[in-house]
Amino acid sequence: MTYIVNDSCIACKYTDCVEVCPVDCFYEGENMLVIHPDECIDCGVCEPECPADAIRPDTEPDMEKWVEFNRKYSEIWPVIITKKDPLPTAEEMDGKEGKMELFSEAAGEGG
């Protein structure tokens, strides 16, 4: 099992999760985070830290696409280990549907 970040993170990018991760497996895009599925040790400490409920175990239905999505971007985006302020749109976008159209492939700053 591994944990993944889904589209609920897009346009929010809360980073509470990165501080509790014992293996630094979060990677930062311009407007969301992902987890490297091969680095995640399945400890689950990140899941309750996410205000947007964007971190889910891959054992839930239809998660395979998110495992591959997280793998793809974790291999090209920089690692993030330090908590940062969420995006200015976070409160407004938290819980919104159809956020994939807002997704940016651009890398974040990491750090």
Side-chain angles (χ1 to χ4, degrees):
M1 187 178 90
T2 188
Y3 284 82
I4 57 85
V5 179
N6 63 31
D7 57 339
S8 295
C9 185
I10 298 171
C12 292
K13 198 167 84 170
Y14 293 105
T15 57
D16 307 65
C17 53
V18 303
E19 284 196 321
V20 298
C21 180
V23 293
D24 301 336
C25 65
F26 281 89
Y27 293 80
E28 183 183 15
E30 180 179 36
N31 68 353
M32 79 174 290
L33 304 176
V34 293
I35 294 172
H36 195 302
D38 298 332
E39 295 173 1
C40 177
I41 60 169
D42 315 324
C43 68
V45 296
C46 59
E47 186 179 16
E49 297 299 319
C50 181
D53 196 30
I55 300 173
R56 311 300 310 155
D58 73 343
T59 53
E60 291 185 357
D62 302 318
M63 286 295 146
E64 186 56 38
K65 68 179 179 184
W66 289 110
V67 172
E68 293 312 311
F69 180 93
N70 278 247
R71 178 176 280 111
K72 175 181 177 179
Y73 291 101
S74 65
E75 291 176 357
I76 57 177
W77 290 347
V79 69
I80 178 171
I81 59 171
T82 306
K83 183 177 176 178
K84 299 179 181 181
D85 289 335
L87 293 177
T89 56
E91 277 190 39
E92 171 191 343
M93 295 304 294
D94 190 1
K96 298 274 186 189
E97 296 290 321
K99 293 187 347 179
M100 273 309 293
E101 64 189 34
L102 303 173
F103 173 68
S104 169
E105 291 188 355
E109 296 176 2

